[in-house]
Amino acid sequence: MNKNIKLFIKIAITMLIVFSIGVMSCNLKDIDLSLGIEEKEEKTVEEETDVLSDEELFFQLKAKQSEKNQLLDINIRKAIFYGINREKIVEELLGDYGSVLNSLFNMDSPYYYPSWNKYTYDPVMAKEYLAKAGYGPENPLFITIGACDSNRAREKIENMIRDDLMEIGINIWKSNMASKDWYGETLKNGEYELGIWALYSVDGANISNYFSANKIPPMETEDNKDCNNFYWYDSDDVESIFKDINFSSGDIEKVELYRELQEKISNDAFILPLFSRIFAIAHNEKIENIKIDPVNGDIFYNIDSWRLNIGEDDESIVNIGYGEEPAVINPFVSNSLFNKYINNVLFRGLWAKDKNGEYLPVLAESYDEIAESNSLPPRIVNVKLKDSIFWEDGKPITSQDVHYTWQKISESDSSFGYKDQFNNIENIEIINDKEFRILFKEKMDNWQELFNVIFPSHGVIEEGNQINLFEDYTFGCGTYKILEWVKGDYILLERNIYSTGKVPEIKYIK
């Protein structure tokens, strides 16, 4: 490695192998089997031993299995879990930088609990479970595995899983497809058996979207969104735990409940965590103090603490290379990781979530919840802003800006899912420049999240009812501001001297 380059690595998003259980797996070849396979001259295993390379033979044999969805049998699921050598997968892909993950949460999360550590690589036990279901090396089981066809790492994982499972008596056919088809159709319709994808879970706030019976894809409506229970998992015990989590009153109680949740899901053997994805950044050693956000890999995580070890005559500018340009700079549309990263330095809100899922004050100083009864959350909240907070042009941030943000998002057609949530606000009453009151129509969880970005009430360019703030014109209160954007070439950021908190040492980021 070049002596001027340093490499920093952090661990985050969980990689998983999952099952589709609740619906019948349907492959195009499965459909074709009922439309004339019997008229063809069937091949046998003796005539064609390489069943893993002959698609027609594979699905002929698969069609002869007594059950359409073999993964309904927990013995088969556990056989697969014990039959996969996760240690080898991690070693091949990540080397010394990775480790097997035995939780739905990465190790930085307060809810990490190694409930899956019982599923060590044990081919003997795997064969025993498979034998309970009536299968084995002499009578193999045929199932499919899927992932995005453009992901080389996941294809390598598939190959290793295929080789492991073949040893215990399970033959695997890879049914990969384009990302749009895999995530947009196949997962939502449950038309897969084994699948590999990433699950983003840090603070537990969205974990119910993946495991609640109320979040099975066909149940998705305008009011019930983010239905990501792609394995059609349905457990009364899990539903009860989610209810307890929603009404839990303290961190210690939540930690215990998330432990119970993971124990239940792991015992049911619906999902097997493999490892945590690695985020890496290589940089010139002249740049000091770079850290990566352990939650989402943000390369600008601590940009206000970066230092340049350069001579006095050198220009204070850092060039960053990235492979994808955001379509727009818009905090409501994250069309790439870089889009998210750059938003974090341009915009600020009243609060921001930490890695534990707690809302920390940014522009807000404090708030008081006015409870109309003993039930939570409240319908009325008094909020006080910090003193000495400014927009990038030096004008103070006031209660009027918060009111304007609510008003414009509620009216706009370009605020996407946030609009429905903002419509739950009945009114924002301005008390003075630094104090205001929020009145909700209905009690609302996580109401602080509505104000993770605010707009200035002065200087917003509008076209009709559309907020054009984030297309070709931006205006924020973050660590940096956009000085120039040459589409297809570069974005030039200049430090915001009016930023709340520490002003960065590095003047320009290109």
Side-chain angles (χ1 to χ4, degrees), residues 180-199:
K180 179 181 177 182
D181 296 327
W182 175 244
Y183 290 106
E185 298 294 334
T186 303
L187 294 190
K188 287 187 178 294
N189 294 330
E191 295 178 354
Y192 72 100
E193 291 177 315
L194 299 187
I196 300 174
W197 66 73
L199 173 66

Side-chain angles (χ1 to χ4, degrees), residues 385 389 391 396-403 433-434 454 457:
L385 297 175
I389 52 176
W391 295 106
I397 297 172
T398 68
S399 301
Q400 286 81 2
D401 297 316
V402 179
H403 183 278
D433 280 352
K434 292 297 179 180
I454 61 171
S457 55

Side-chain angles (χ1 to χ4, degrees), residues 98-124:
S99 60
V100 170
L101 187 67
N102 286 305
S103 173
L104 295 178
F105 301 91
N106 66 53
M107 292 183 183
D108 291 319
S109 170
Y111 306 127
Y112 171 83
Y113 188 81
S115 296
W116 279 263
N117 59 5
K118 53 182 165 284
Y119 296 114
T120 56
Y121 177 55
D122 190 335
V124 173

Side-chain angles (χ1 to χ4, degrees), residues 76-326:
I76 292 177
R77 302 200 301 270
K78 288 190 174 182
I80 291 171
F81 281 14
Y82 284 110
I84 295 175
N85 190 341
R86 293 187 289 162
E87 292 281 358
K88 185 177 180 181
I89 289 173
V90 170
E91 182 181 351
E92 287 288 324
L93 266 69
L94 307 177
D96 295 336
Y97 293 110
S99 60
V100 170
L101 187 67
N102 286 305
S103 173
L104 295 178
F105 301 91
N106 66 53
M107 292 183 183
D108 291 319
S109 170
Y111 306 127
Y112 171 83
Y113 188 81
S115 296
W116 279 263
N117 59 5
K118 53 182 165 284
Y119 296 114
T120 56
Y121 177 55
D122 190 335
V124 173
M125 185 171 290
K127 289 179 181 179
E128 290 176 359
Y129 274 109
L130 196 61
K132 292 179 182 180
Y135 295 95
E138 302 303 320
N139 177 34
L141 175 66
F142 294 84
I143 56 178
T144 63
I145 190 170
C148 298
D149 61 6
S150 59
N151 192 307
R152 293 174 61 189
R154 294 184 191 183
E155 185 172 358
K156 188 171 185 177
I157 294 172
E158 288 178 308
N159 291 336
M160 297 177 73
I161 289 173
R162 178 194 62 192
D163 294 344
D164 285 342
L165 296 185
M166 187 168 62
E167 293 296 320
I168 68 170
I170 299 178
N171 289 330
I172 299 288
W173 186 267
K174 294 190 297 181
S175 296
N176 296 338
M177 58 195 67
S179 177
K180 179 181 177 182
D181 296 327
W182 175 244
Y183 290 106
E185 298 294 334
T186 303
L187 294 190
K188 287 187 178 294
N189 294 330
E191 295 178 354
Y192 72 100
E193 291 177 315
L194 299 187
I196 300 174
W197 66 73
L199 173 66
Y200 183 70
S201 58
V202 178
D203 57 25
N206 299 319
I207 200 71
S208 63
N209 295 339
Y210 296 95
F211 297 102
S212 172
N214 297 319
K215 293 294 184 177
I216 293 174
M219 301 182 69
E220 188 157 12
T221 65
E222 285 296 322
D223 297 323
N224 186 34
K225 298 181 179 179
D226 300 319
C227 292
N228 299 325
N229 183 352
F230 301 132
Y231 10 89
W232 302 52
Y233 182 58
D234 189 348
S235 165
D236 291 339
D237 291 337
V238 166
E239 295 304 316
S240 178
I241 294 172
F242 281 137
K243 288 180 181 178
D244 291 340
I245 289 173
N246 290 335
F247 288 101
S248 61
S249 57
D251 293 338
I252 295 177
E253 185 180 359
K254 277 190 175 181
V255 168
E256 177 62 22
L257 288 169
Y258 279 115
R259 182 195 69 79
E260 291 180 19
L261 176 73
Q262 293 176 90
E263 282 289 290
K264 172 59 179 171
I265 296 174
S266 67
N267 288 336
D268 286 344
F270 273 75
I271 188 167
L272 179 66
L274 298 179
F275 56 85
S276 291
R277 180 183 295 174
I278 287 179
F279 292 108
I281 178 172
H283 65 89
N284 192 295
E285 65 180 6
K286 291 181 180 179
I287 309 172
E288 300 175 348
N289 298 335
I290 291 183
K291 293 181 180 179
I292 303 176
D293 189 340
V295 173
N296 60 21
D298 187 352
I299 60 175
F300 297 139
Y301 176 55
N302 70 325
I303 196 170
D304 56 352
S305 298
W306 291 11
R307 293 184 64 253
L308 276 177
N309 184 16
I310 58 177
E312 295 181 359
D313 296 333
D314 289 330
E315 186 178 8
S316 178
I317 185 170
V318 169
N319 290 290
I320 296 176
Y322 205 82
E324 182 178 3
E325 181 180 27

Side-chain angles (χ1 to χ4, degrees), residues 39-102:
E39 298 177 3
K40 299 179 181 179
E41 181 180 352
E42 293 188 1
K43 298 179 182 179
T44 65
V45 177
E46 290 75 16
E47 292 171 332
E48 175 57 81
T49 57
D50 192 7
V51 66
L52 300 186
S53 62
D54 189 325
E55 185 175 10
E56 182 180 6
L57 173 60
F58 183 95
F59 284 102
Q60 280 182 0
L61 297 175
K62 187 177 188 302
K64 296 184 179 207
Q65 295 176 161
S66 58
E67 296 291 336
K68 185 67 175 178
N69 194 341
Q70 300 287 355
L71 295 173
L72 288 171
D73 190 331
I74 192 172
N75 292 312
I76 292 177
R77 302 200 301 270
K78 288 190 174 182
I80 291 171
F81 281 14
Y82 284 110
I84 295 175
N85 190 341
R86 293 187 289 162
E87 292 281 358
K88 185 177 180 181
I89 289 173
V90 170
E91 182 181 351
E92 287 288 324
L93 266 69
L94 307 177
D96 295 336
Y97 293 110
S99 60
V100 170
L101 187 67
N102 286 305

